Amino acid sequence: MDEQSAWDGRTYYNEPQLRPAPFNNVLVGSYIFLAGVSGAAQLLATVLDNAHGPVAASTVRRGRYLAMLAPILGTLCLILDLHTPRRFYNMLRLIKATSPMSLGSWGLAGFSATSAGTALLQFTADRLRYSWLLGLARITQVPAALTGAFMGTYTASLLSATSTPVWAAAPRNLAVRFASSAVASAAAALRLAERTDRRRRDLDSIAVAALAVELAATLASEQAECQARSGHASRKRTPEPMVIPLALLLASLVLPGRLGRTVSAVGSLASLGVGLAMRISVLHRGDQSARQPHRSLRFAQFDNLPRA
């Protein structure tokens, strides 16, 4: 029996089974994007600092400053989205290991503190020429990078913990999408201000690899969502709006040497735009699936079936 003949579309009082998320998709999507870019920028800066040292000093400096996007602009997006903005501190009243929201709030606080300390040490060392301050920055950047890696993935866990079909159908794939997109966006942002050709090529390579992983995870998420909707794997998939932009973006960055610096720079800007659009698209599609009972009920039935 197919999906249409199994259910005629009626629900109690003509209401959907689930309610869509109460937050503003643009504000929250922007926060998720900024959190990913900031965390990945801190992580890349730490890796480059340990791998190349003074040779990559300018890129490391920009990565540490770029990491301040989430503590400043990202936190502002969260506060603006709250129905009662002045009660933002309530999210820090306790630590609950089973709550992605609680862990995320404390993760953001820890990342903000360590990243701000690292950026302040970098800024002071640049102005006063004290090399020992850079030594301290190399110490504080380690916990900043660890919490930065957390920033790029915890938002996927937060969304997947709900009953919204699009978000909960493939939690691992969603985490991979967010993490890889964060790395691609951070590499693209750092590449825009890079002056050396060698470092540009390195950052382009990182962006291309991350986008390839994101594209594969997007296709896998599409298949998992289709399976959750119909109860079995199907060749007729639900179109994922980000597949074509990701494929075109990946193609534009694969040959930066042949196409030139200008096209590579445009590709980096496009990578940032696609990264933001992907988060907003995921939130929007999640709301759509919550409003459609035939999707949420089918997903609930499929999710409770014994797995092989």
Side-chain angles (χ1 to χ4, degrees):
M1 184 179 294
D2 60 20
E3 182 179 333
Q4 296 300 326
S5 60
W7 185 71
D8 62 5
R10 291 178 295 179
T11 59
Y12 289 112
Y13 304 108
N14 294 320
E15 291 291 332
Q17 180 198 17
L18 302 176
R19 293 184 182 273
F23 43 70
N24 183 292
N25 288 344
V26 174
L27 286 175
V28 175
S30 298
Y31 165 72
I32 296 174
F33 171 73
L34 293 172
V37 172
S38 298
Q42 189 68 261
L43 183 61
L44 290 176
T46 302
V47 171
L48 290 173
D49 186 36
N50 285 279
H52 300 288
V55 177
S58 60
T59 308
V60 171
R61 179 184 300 107
R62 286 190 290 271
R64 290 170 175 171
Y65 292 154
L66 187 62
M68 295 307 298
L69 283 175
I72 299 175
L73 297 180
T75 302
L76 179 62
C77 288
L78 283 183
I79 293 175
L80 290 176
D81 183 65
L82 291 175
H83 295 288
T84 311
R86 65 180 180 276
R87 294 183 180 176
F88 176 75
Y89 61 86
N90 285 344
M91 302 170 70
L92 300 175
R93 289 186 303 171
L94 52 85
I95 300 178
K96 190 174 181 181
T98 57
S99 170
M101 180 68 76
S102 176
L103 293 179
S105 300
W106 282 100
L108 174 60
F111 176 76
S112 299
T114 53
S115 293
T118 302
L120 181 60
L121 289 171
Q122 178 71 58
F123 180 81
T124 307
D126 291 341
R127 296 299 180 273
L128 301 181
R129 305 294 180 184
Y130 291 158
S131 59
W132 61 273
L133 289 176
L134 292 178
L136 289 178
R138 297 196 70 185
I139 296 175
T140 59
Q141 73 179 353
V142 175
L146 293 176
T147 52
F150 172 80
M151 291 290 290
T153 56
Y154 95 88
T155 47
S157 299
L158 192 152
L159 297 178
S160 299
T162 68
S163 298
T164 303
V166 167
W167 301 340
R172 293 183 181 86
N173 290 332
L174 185 60
V176 172
R177 289 180 69 184
F178 279 14
S180 56
S181 177
V183 173
S185 298
L190 292 173
R191 184 248 177 264
L192 288 172
E194 189 56 56
R195 297 181 179 179
T196 61
D197 290 336
R198 181 178 179 181
R199 200 66 60 212
R200 285 195 193 100
R201 290 193 296 268
D202 291 341
L203 292 171
D204 280 337
S205 298
I206 293 173
V208 167
L211 286 171
V213 173
E214 182 184 355
L215 179 58
T218 301
L219 292 172
S221 297
E222 182 180 336
Q223 176 63 26
E225 181 189 343
C226 181
Q227 185 173 0
R229 175 187 290 197
S230 61
H232 56 81
S234 175
R235 294 182 181 178
K236 186 178 180 181
R237 301 179 180 180
T238 303
E240 227 295 350
M242 298 308 300
V243 170
I244 294 178
L246 279 172
L248 294 176
L249 178 59
L250 184 59
S252 70
L253 293 177
V254 167
L255 302 173
R258 296 183 183 179
L259 299 179
R261 296 180 182 178
T262 302
V263 174
S264 181
V266 171
S268 296
L269 289 172
S271 181
L272 294 172
V274 169
L276 175 60
M278 186 270 285
R279 270 74 168 191
I280 297 176
S281 173
V282 167
L283 295 175
H284 177 68
R285 294 182 73 234
D287 287 346
Q288 285 184 322
S289 67
R291 293 188 181 100
Q292 298 171 349
H294 69 278
R295 300 181 68 177
S296 57
L297 291 170
R298 174 72 70 178
F299 175 73
Q301 181 184 21
F302 173 77
D303 195 47
N304 290 324
L305 291 176
R307 305 297 176 86

